[in-house]
Amino acid sequence: MSVLVPVPQSKTNIGNFKHTITMLMGMWLIIGLFIDGFAHNHGAVETFFTPWHAILYSGYLACAVWIFYLTYQNKSKANHATWVQAIPTGYELGVAGVIIFFLGGLGDMYWHTVFGIEKNIEALLSPTHLILLTGALMILTSPYRAISHAEDKVSPSFRQLLPALTSIALTFAVMAFFLMYAWSFRQNLWMAREEDAVARAVVDFLITTMLLVLPVMLVIRRWKLPFGTATYFFVFQAVLMAILDGFSQYGSIVILLISGIAADLMFRSIKQREASDWRYKVVFFLIPVLIWGLYFADLSIYHTLDWAPELWGGTMFICGLCSLGLSILTAPIVHRKS
């Protein structure tokens, strides 16, 4: 007599609504991170047990519970043999991230108790904080991986891609947070006069440019770019980074809002063309030139800009050229039939 053994069903992709909830939990976590960054920058952190740590870690707990719930649903409904098989598609690294973040949190509490509270760049490069960064990146990228696997439309709408776009935006926002000392909008550029200070400022411009243009390149490599994507990415990063200084650098939000709208209009005019088309590369060259052109114009009107035209003009163009180079390297390869 043969015995029929139930075969576990293959994983089913979860819907956009559930990905949206994942991202809401992720935003809770990251807003807590930026509020904690504001507290660190203003000397308000003296112990591990603070209100801003409560926001940060409660956001993590919400992410962990939600990902466990999604896995539990799959296991109970799809008859998966093991918990690992029940993890939703794209969320495998997210589960690992939950574990890593938990270990990093325990380590962070011990580190602060034994060694005290770090300040400035030491706080960003603390071993336990880098472990927390690792876990957060793995959690936040889960919806992008899942939707990238499931969304087979070449030109989905902004609404359809919103959870994936938010996943990308949060990921780059976290990277910008840990590179806050290189975020050009936070620097007093008009005070950079010595050669070393000017050189450091130019490097900061390049790093900030990469943080802004790479998310857009990532989407174009996979889908036709929905209108509003560049504006969403630019303003998303600008608002979160402005939290670190209590929105005293609100001008960056205006500059990136204008630049994002201009970029979206340019992309819309060429949307029907292949992503490998040369026009996309021209747009990626123009975006940094526009951003930093507005930035230098703001400095010259409202502050003091002692840089020679070779410096501020050259900075704009080298950022544009680096963006151009990245757009060439990241453009999808078109295989033509011989």
Side-chain angles (χ1 to χ4, degrees):
M1 178 179 178
S2 61
V3 179
L4 295 176
V5 179
V7 179
Q9 298 178 21
S10 60
K11 293 183 188 181
T12 55
N13 296 304
I14 62 178
N16 262 16
F17 177 73
K18 292 180 179 179
H19 293 313
T20 300
I21 295 178
T22 305
M23 286 296 85
L24 288 175
M25 303 302 181
M27 291 183 70
W28 179 355
L29 166 65
I30 298 311
I31 289 173
L33 173 68
F34 276 85
I35 293 174
D36 185 52
F38 171 84
H40 273 277
N41 288 342
H42 294 80
V45 179
E46 297 179 356
T47 176
F48 178 83
F49 299 99
T50 61
W52 24 93
H53 268 188
I55 299 173
L56 170 66
Y57 284 103
S58 61
Y60 156 73
L61 181 61
C63 289
V65 170
W66 175 245
I67 292 175
F68 171 78
Y69 173 72
L70 293 177
T71 305
Y72 172 76
Q73 272 195 325
N74 268 6
K75 191 173 190 308
S76 59
K77 291 182 179 180
N79 193 30
H80 288 293
T82 67
W83 283 95
V84 172
Q85 292 176 340
I87 298 172
T89 300
Y91 280 70
E92 296 87 355
L93 287 179
V95 172
V98 166
I99 298 170
I100 290 173
F101 198 101
F102 176 75
L103 296 175
L106 291 179
D108 195 41
M109 181 172 62
Y110 176 80
W111 188 275
H112 287 323
T113 303
V114 175
F115 300 105
I117 305 297
E118 308 94 338
K119 296 181 180 179
N120 304 320
I121 296 180
E122 289 88 347
L124 295 170
L125 300 181
S126 157
T128 54
H129 288 173
L130 294 179
I131 294 173
L132 292 173
L133 168 63
T134 304
L137 291 175
M138 296 169 79
I139 293 169
L140 297 172
T141 52
S142 295
Y144 169 74
R145 288 192 302 274
I147 295 173
S148 184
H149 181 273
E151 182 57 71
D152 53 3
K153 290 184 180 178
V154 175
S155 186
S157 67
F158 183 88
R159 181 178 178 181
Q160 289 171 319
L161 274 190
L162 185 56
L165 298 179
T166 305
S167 177
I168 296 170
L170 284 171
T171 300
F172 276 87
V174 172
M175 291 191 283
F177 176 90
F178 277 83
L179 291 169
M180 67 173 71
Y181 46 84
W183 182 253
S184 293
F185 295 104
R186 301 186 68 236
Q187 311 306 321
N188 295 324
L189 176 62
W190 57 89
M191 297 175 62
R193 293 180 174 86
E194 298 296 328
E195 186 172 352
D196 287 347
V198 173
R200 158 68 194 275
V202 173
V203 172
D204 290 349
F205 280 122
L206 288 169
I207 292 173
T208 305
T209 299
M210 300 306 105
L211 289 169
L212 291 169
V213 300
L214 279 171
V216 184
M217 293 178 187
L218 184 63
V219 176
I220 288 179
R221 187 172 174 83
R222 177 64 178 82
W223 297 287
K224 294 284 188 182
L225 196 71
F227 183 78
T229 299
T231 304
Y232 184 64
F233 283 154
F234 290 1
V235 173
F236 198 102
Q237 282 200 53
V239 170
L240 284 177
M241 293 302 288
I243 292 175
L244 298 173
D245 299 300
F247 290 96
S248 62
Q249 305 295 335
Y250 63 89
S252 62
I253 301 175
V254 178
I255 290 172
L256 289 176
L257 173 62
I258 296 171
S259 301
I261 293 172
D264 279 318
L265 290 172
M266 288 187 284
F267 282 127
R268 184 170 69 174
S269 68
I270 58 175
K271 183 177 180 179
Q272 299 310 316
R273 300 185 179 275
E274 294 294 329
S276 57
D277 189 276
W278 62 270
R279 293 170 181 82
Y280 282 96
K281 300 169 181 59
V282 172
V283 174
F284 279 115
F285 170 78
L286 292 175
I287 289 173
V289 174
L290 174 60
I291 293 172
W292 302 124
L294 292 172
Y295 178 80
F296 285 120
D298 176 69
L299 283 183
S300 62
I301 294 171
Y302 297 106
H303 302 284
T304 301
L305 180 60
D306 292 334
W307 283 21
E310 293 86 351
L311 280 179
W312 58 260
T315 298
M316 291 164 50
F317 276 83
I318 196 171
C319 288
L321 289 172
C322 287
S323 178
L324 170 64
L326 282 175
S327 71
I328 294 171
L329 292 174
T330 59
I333 299 174
V334 178
H335 296 283
R336 305 185 188 280
K337 294 182 179 180
S338 56

